[in-house]
Amino acid sequence: MSTFIKDFIERETISRRNFILTSAVGMGAMLIPGFDGSARAALKDPAIAWSYRDRASAYWNSIVSGGEAFVESIGKQKGELVSLINEGSSEKSLADIKAFIAKNNGNCAIAADCNDSPNARPVVEAVKTAGAYVSTIWNKTDDLHPWDFGDNYVSHMTWSDVEPAAQTAKILFEAMGGEGGVVHLGGIAANNPAIERLAGLKKAAEDYPKIEILDAQPADWDTQKGAALMSSFLTRYGDKIKGVHCANDNIAYGVIEALRAEGIEDMPIVAYDGNPDAVKLVMEGKLLATVFTNPHWGGGISAALAYYAATGAFKPSEEPNEHREFYGPTILISQKDAADFKAKYMDETPKYDWKDFWSPTRGQIKYSG
């Protein structure tokens, strides 16, 4: 394994500095019924857990940091947030959540990325049966909705990845002079964001008739798999590859390493997630662009929604659909604004009102009724 990848993996096992995104629509306060204590508590002091993929990624470390910031806001120690690490296994994700529910006799609030879309339904059904509460992010099937499960399935947040991925693709195409072959290295095949980020590439390519998408294969969001896949693309397509579209930053790190191994230093590459190392690479010109989805806020607000629903501070079934299934905020980071982004968002420690559930998502509503 190269020094670059080793250093990256070692760094990413350490908790990252928290960082903030203020959405274009602002952070105006929203009053939530029941925070004055008028709502009857459904559960007493529920245990809180976050179910997610791994700790080898700045993205998931930031998710967890947001969850920890939330539990500290309610007077708990950050260690009281239980990590259910599924290691990219949907079976483990479901088994761990069921075990957590059983251990706490259903007295629990859970935030979860279910790892892939089909896994969301059995997770939600297990939570509903036990009388626990769950908020999900990223992955679920289109026919699964929180409002079909009463109060126990509190909310689902995803990010509208098609348009941001199309924007990064257009930046890539322009850097290529509007022509040539592109390869796409994707996430887990059944992941909603993986599907949408590839769709964004294809959407952008419709406006560039001289761009050819040579190949698109999953790299499972992983640096080493990204490096291996890029090496195989280079063997297969060689000089036909003029640009690389990556579904996340982790994959891009592997791509850069595979290209370096072949003596290629100037290949145009775009990525997604807005991790600190990726922003630095954008500033250095080694990546053209990445996209920030504010995982710290996402991690904290998902845990908060599940917890406050569980305690009865608000009743999800009395909320409109756009408060139960919605898009989170995103920001495109290119070389012209990367330094400004870092100064404003990465070098600051975010402070949020974790009872202000939806204001950062205003203007990015997924469902309207």
Side-chain angles (χ1 to χ4, degrees):
M1 188 187 304
S2 72
T3 300
F4 178 86
I5 296 176
K6 285 182 179 177
D7 290 345
F8 165 69
I9 293 174
E10 289 172 359
R11 289 198 309 272
E12 295 313 304
T13 60
I14 302 171
S15 295
R16 305 296 305 183
R17 177 186 294 271
N18 298 341
F19 50 107
I20 182 171
L21 169 66
T22 301
S23 74
V25 294
M27 296 293 294
M30 180 176 287
L31 296 176
I32 307 300
F35 283 120
D36 59 359
S38 61
R40 180 179 63 85
L43 297 179
K44 182 179 180 181
D45 193 24
I48 310 170
W50 239 110
S51 174
Y52 58 97
R53 187 168 299 121
D54 59 52
R55 291 305 296 261
S57 163
Y59 177 84
W60 291 111
N61 283 329
S62 194
I63 284 279
V64 176
S65 77
E68 291 172 342
F70 164 67
V71 299
E72 289 181 317
S73 78
I74 56 175
K76 295 179 178 289
Q77 300 296 315
K78 66 172 61 175
E80 294 183 72
L81 176 69
V82 177
S83 285
L84 305 176
I85 302 175
N86 61 51
E87 300 172 348
S89 166
S90 297
E91 292 77 11
K92 190 174 189 303
S93 170
L94 179 59
D96 287 351
I97 288 172
K98 285 182 174 180
F100 180 73
I101 291 170
K103 179 179 179 180
N104 293 283
N105 297 315
N107 187 45
C108 50
I110 302 165
D113 170 39
C114 298
N115 189 61
D116 65 22
S117 300
N119 194 45
R121 183 173 292 277
V123 165
V124 169
E125 289 174 345
V127 169
K128 170 72 172 178
T129 299
Y133 292 77
V134 65
S135 291
T136 60
I137 68 168
W138 285 121
N139 291 297
K140 74 171 187 65
T141 54
D142 290 340
D143 63 346
L144 182 70
H145 302 292
W147 49 85
D148 292 333
F149 290 83
D151 293 320
N152 301 95
Y153 187 6
V154 181
S155 64
H156 178 76
M157 176 167 56
T158 189
W159 284 259
S160 182
D161 285 341
V162 174
E163 189 56 36
Q167 290 174 2
T168 65
K170 289 179 180 179
I171 291 172
L172 177 66
F173 299 162
E174 290 297 320
M176 295 166 55
E179 61 182 340
V182 174
V183 291
H184 172 82
L185 293 86
I188 295 172
N191 277 187
N192 286 350
I195 294 167
E196 290 195 352
R197 292 172 195 182
L198 176 56
L201 170 65
K202 292 178 178 179
K203 177 182 178 182
E206 293 174 0
D207 296 328
Y208 290 80
K210 294 183 179 181
I211 290 290
E212 179 185 4
I213 300 175
L214 298 169
D215 211 334
Q217 299 292 335
D220 296 348
W221 310 117
D222 184 77
T223 298
Q224 295 183 56
K225 290 183 180 179
L229 180 57
M230 189 65 214
S231 293
S232 72
F233 281 162
L234 289 169
T235 298
R236 182 172 182 181
Y237 299 105
D239 292 342
K240 290 183 179 180
I241 302 173
K242 303 300 182 183
V244 186
H245 191 267
C246 300
N248 79 341
D249 295 337
N250 287 3
I251 294 170
Y253 306 147
V255 166
I256 291 171
E257 196 60 28
L259 291 169
R260 282 178 177 169
E262 298 296 327
I264 302 170
E265 297 283 349
D266 57 353
M267 179 74 71
I269 308 165
V270 294
Y272 208 110
D273 277 350
N275 290 330
D277 283 330
V279 175
K280 181 180 178 182
L281 289 170
V282 173
M283 292 172 63
E284 295 171 350
K286 296 172 184 176
L287 283 177
L288 294 175
T290 185
V291 177
F292 182 59
T293 58
N294 200 0
H296 178 83
W297 177 80
I301 210 66
S302 296
L305 281 160
Y307 176 83
Y308 283 126
T311 61
F314 82 107
K315 192 174 179 64
S317 59
E318 294 178 354
E319 296 295 328
N321 286 357
E322 60 263 31
H323 284 178
R324 304 193 69 186
E325 197 165 323
F326 50 89
Y327 286 133
T330 59
I331 185 170
L332 178 70
I333 306 165
S334 63
Q335 191 169 15
K336 66 181 180 181
D337 49 37
D340 184 59
F341 174 87
K342 179 180 181 298
K344 289 181 178 179
Y345 305 133
M346 287 171 51
D347 296 338
E348 299 290 334
T349 300
K351 300 293 182 182
Y352 290 111
D353 177 359
W354 297 115
K355 297 175 183 177
D356 182 16
F357 299 148
W358 301 290
S359 65
T361 71
R362 289 195 192 114
Q364 303 187 58
I365 298 300
K366 186 174 183 182
Y367 291 95
S368 61

